[in-house]
């Protein structure tokens, strides 16, 4: 079986945008298999055929396809002629070595001019398999499903189907900027938005050199890992230690956490506008920690002037989020001990209901504009790609920010 048939679901519903969605999915599949010599991907009649090439290991192909958003399911398949005898004989030959307790045939005609209807194909091929192998037919809960797809010029059949990750192809929804800490939650939040077709850029605030560079390394590892789901990523890092020190020197301890967060989102919004990201994303969830009460979230949001702040985990509890982090593979990285900037100068009893008035009064003592300008001017950028480019440094490529793909920043006039 040297083809793979990929089915998409949700994107089939998207009306006039459909051709564009499919093109995006095809491009993403090509990129995901980009290092496999001779791999081919083409859209045919409502599905996608992938030919991974002669040297590709199925485990690798399976792992890669299982991460491409927009894929509903995929199966190794054989391409054959449409003649029913040829089709049935090929299927029966491929059943050698299998002894399922029961089976069924499921046929779909993408070409409705084919001489037999789908139920007729199912009965015909099913009857021949039964005659050859004497297996029991079970239409409701068969152990083996033989899937047949009749297209205009060829037919495919497959025996083992694997679920894809679902969602929308990376790149069909706009770019967003995710505030990525080294914790468990924010990588999951990033993943959720990737699954909705957003290209997620990452922004990390670190307190190096006041603290060790552990959180920086960890976040690079998280970015590298998450890149397997969106194929290219950018990580921005901002030095936040001096800003925290200034907050600590001037603000009452209970308000500090909310002040740090408001500064973070201000810096994030400025950067987002510069890189044309359409929203900020955080890993906050209501009530998880003191800074994440509804009152505090409202005070944090008030520091953002125009962009939506998306919190995809807002209603999830920690167990659910941890389970998802395990499934996407970020959990073992997230639990590596580090020194997060939030542990620096953090009061023992942060306000759970900071009032906006008190917070704004405390901010009067801070040179907000200067702090935000300074942070954005010094942001560092790193690029990641998957599959990793042969000559790229293992963790990514570093750049100074200011050369965003040659595009002028949209807020250049402000
Ligand atoms: P996480 O597990 O994502 O760190 P958390 O439950 O520890 O979340 P907080 O530390 O209060 O919660 O952080 C809330 C959110 O603020 C994070 O999910 C993340 O989006 C953002 N954030 C916190 N610290 C940083 C940081 N150092 N750099 C970037 N974003 C951060
Ligand atoms: Mg955290």
């Amino acid at each position: 079986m040297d083809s793979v048939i990929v089915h998409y679901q949700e994107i089939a519903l998207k009306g006039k945008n459909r051709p564009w969605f499919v093109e995006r999915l095809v491009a993403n599949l090509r990129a995901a298999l980009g290092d496999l010599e001779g791999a081919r991907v083409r859209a045919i009649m409502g599905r996608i055929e992938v030919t991974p090439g002669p040297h590709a290991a199925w485990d690798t192909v399976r792992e890669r396809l299982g991460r491409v958003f927009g894929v509903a399911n995929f199966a190794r398949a054989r391409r054959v002629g449409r003649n029913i005898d040829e089709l049935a004989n090929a299927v029966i030959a491929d059943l050698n070595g299998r002894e399922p307790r029961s089976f069924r045939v499921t046929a779909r005609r993408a070409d409705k001019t084919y001489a037999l209807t789908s139920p007729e194909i199912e009965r015909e091929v099913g009857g021949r398999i039964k005659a050859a192998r004497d297996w029991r037919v079970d239409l409701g809960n068969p152990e083996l499903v033989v899937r047949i797809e009749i297209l205009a010029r060829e037919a495919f059949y497959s025996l083992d189907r694997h679920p894809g990750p679902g969602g929308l192809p990376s790149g069909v929804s706009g770019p967003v900027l995710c505030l990525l800490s080294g914790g468990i939650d924010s990588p999951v939040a990033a993943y959720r938005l990737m699954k909705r077709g957003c290209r997620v850029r990452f922004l990390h605030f670190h307190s190096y050199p006041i603290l060790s560079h552990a959180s920086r390394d960890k976040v690079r590892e998280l970015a590298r890992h998450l890149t397997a789901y969106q194929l290219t990523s950018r990580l921005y890092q901002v030095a936040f230690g001096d800003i925290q020190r200034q907050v600590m020197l001037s603000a009452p301890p209970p308000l500090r956490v909310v002040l740090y967060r408001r500064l973070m989102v201000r810096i994030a919004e400025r950067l987002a506008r510069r890189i044309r990201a359409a929203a900020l994303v955080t890993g906050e969830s209501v009530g998880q920690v003191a800074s994440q009460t509804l009152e505090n979230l409202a005070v944090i949001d008030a520091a953002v002037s125009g962009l939506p702040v998306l919190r995809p985990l807002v209603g999830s509890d920690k167990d659910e989020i941890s389970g998802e982090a395990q499934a996407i593979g970020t959990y073992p990285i997230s639990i590596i001990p580090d020194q997060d900037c939030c542990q620096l100068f953090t009061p023992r009893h942060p306000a759970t209901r900071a009032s906006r008035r008190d917070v704004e009064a405390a901010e009067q003592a801070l040179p907000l504009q200067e702090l935000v300008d300074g942070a954005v001017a010094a942001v560092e950028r790193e690029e990641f790609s998957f599959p990793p480019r042969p000559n790229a440094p293992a963790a990514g490529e570093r750049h100074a920010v200011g050369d965003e793909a040659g595009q002028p920043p949209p807020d250049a006039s402000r």
Side-chain angles (χ1 to χ4, degrees):
M1 298 219 168
D2 40 19
S3 287
V4 182
I5 290 291
V6 173
H7 285 277
Y8 39 87
Q9 218 158 31
E10 188 164 11
I11 61 176
L13 305 173
K14 296 275 171 176
K16 274 192 296 190
N17 282 336
R18 184 176 161 176
W20 180 64
F21 278 65
V22 174
E23 262 170 49
R24 195 67 258 167
L25 179 56
V26 166
N28 292 348
L29 287 166
R30 282 197 185 121
L33 304 174
D35 59 340
L36 304 182
E37 207 188 312
R40 299 263 177 284
V41 181
R42 63 173 183 141
I44 27 164
M45 302 187 82
R47 61 269 290 146
I48 293 170
E49 183 191 12
V50 172
T51 354
H55 308 299
W58 170 240
D59 283 350
T60 306
V61 175
R62 181 178 166 175
E63 192 182 278
R64 302 272 180 96
L65 298 181
R67 275 194 305 244
V68 177
F69 292 121
V71 172
N73 57 65
F74 59 97
R76 275 170 119 169
R78 193 180 296 286
R79 186 183 326 141
V80 284
R82 305 194 327 156
N83 174 287
I84 196 76
D85 296 324
E86 182 184 337
L87 183 56
N89 290 340
V91 171
I92 289 167
D94 262 328
L95 295 176
N96 279 336
R98 292 186 187 244
E99 282 305 332
R101 280 185 303 276
S102 59
F103 82 105
R104 72 160 293 166
V105 177
T106 298
R108 274 208 246 166
R109 292 183 312 168
D111 173 13
K112 303 292 182 207
T113 66
Y114 190 69
L116 303 178
T117 64
S118 297
E120 285 167 352
I121 301 168
E122 292 172 357
R123 274 199 299 275
E124 185 59 40
V125 178
R128 295 191 196 195
I129 294 173
K130 182 142 180 55
R133 306 298 300 261
D134 200 26
W135 293 339
R136 188 168 66 83
V137 175
D138 180 349
L139 300 182
N141 187 25
E143 187 180 319
L144 174 72
V145 180
V146 178
R147 290 193 165 78
I148 296 177
E149 314 196 22
I150 307 284
L151 310 189
R153 276 193 286 275
E154 68 239 294
F156 289 92
Y157 65 86
S158 57
L159 303 175
D160 303 294
R161 189 153 96 167
H162 307 277
L168 296 172
S170 175
V172 301
S173 313
V176 297
L177 182 62
C178 179
L179 283 75
L180 190 67
S181 70
I184 293 169
D185 304 326
S186 42
V188 176
Y191 176 88
R192 293 265 187 103
L193 268 295
M194 286 179 191
K195 187 167 178 180
R196 299 313 302 160
C198 295
R199 285 225 190 282
V200 180
R201 319 293 193 209
F202 307 119
L203 170 60
H204 179 64
F205 295 91
H206 65 84
S207 304
Y208 180 79
I210 302 173
L211 297 179
S212 79
H213 52 72
S215 88
R216 307 194 64 183
D217 296 344
K218 205 170 142 178
V219 110
R220 291 169 79 197
E221 192 52 28
L222 286 167
R224 195 194 55 71
H225 185 86
L226 288 167
T227 302
Y229 297 97
Q230 63 173 359
L231 308 174
T232 59
S233 295
R234 283 183 193 162
L235 167 65
Y236 298 90
Q237 297 218 35
V238 165
F240 201 61
D242 279 338
I243 295 181
Q244 285 182 288
R245 195 168 7 216
Q246 294 206 39
V247 171
M248 187 201 60
L249 292 176
S250 75
L255 295 184
R256 282 180 200 159
V257 175
V258 170
L259 289 167
Y260 297 153
R261 285 281 180 276
R262 277 168 61 97
L263 275 154
M264 282 186 184
V265 294
R266 280 193 182 95
I267 294 165
E269 182 174 23
R270 276 282 288 284
L271 179 65
R273 291 192 184 281
R274 184 152 136 188
I275 65 173
R276 300 169 190 249
L280 304 181
V281 180
T282 78
E284 288 155 321
S285 131
V286 169
Q288 197 187 80
V289 290
S291 59
Q292 299 175 16
T293 60
L294 286 178
E295 290 82 356
N296 285 351
L297 294 180
V299 176
I300 294 166
D301 277 355
V304 183
S305 61
L307 287 183
V309 180
L310 306 179
R311 298 185 168 97
L313 308 181
V314 73
S316 304
D317 57 47
K318 197 80 187 186
D319 288 348
E320 290 166 340
I321 301 168
S322 299
E324 205 169 327
Q326 298 266 20
I328 63 180
T330 51
Y331 189 84
I333 309 170
S334 291
I335 59 170
I336 297 170
D338 68 347
Q339 293 182 300
D340 184 68
C341 73
C342 296
Q343 293 151 15
L344 185 65
F345 314 132
T346 297
R348 208 171 313 173
H349 300 292
T352 50
R353 289 179 184 184
S355 93
R356 187 164 162 189
R357 206 156 23 119
D358 293 348
V359 169
E360 285 174 354
E363 282 174 349
Q364 294 292 320
L366 290 164
L368 286 182
Q369 199 58 39
E370 202 179 293
L371 295 179
V372 173
D373 288 347
V376 175
V379 62
E380 289 172 78
R381 186 185 97 193
E382 221 173 313
E383 304 273 346
F384 297 80
S385 58
F386 183 91
R389 292 197 209 106
N391 298 324
E397 286 173 25
R398 292 192 187 214
H399 297 265
V401 174
D403 58 344
E404 295 299 321
Q407 294 170 342
D411 64 341
S413 57
R414 285 187 215 177

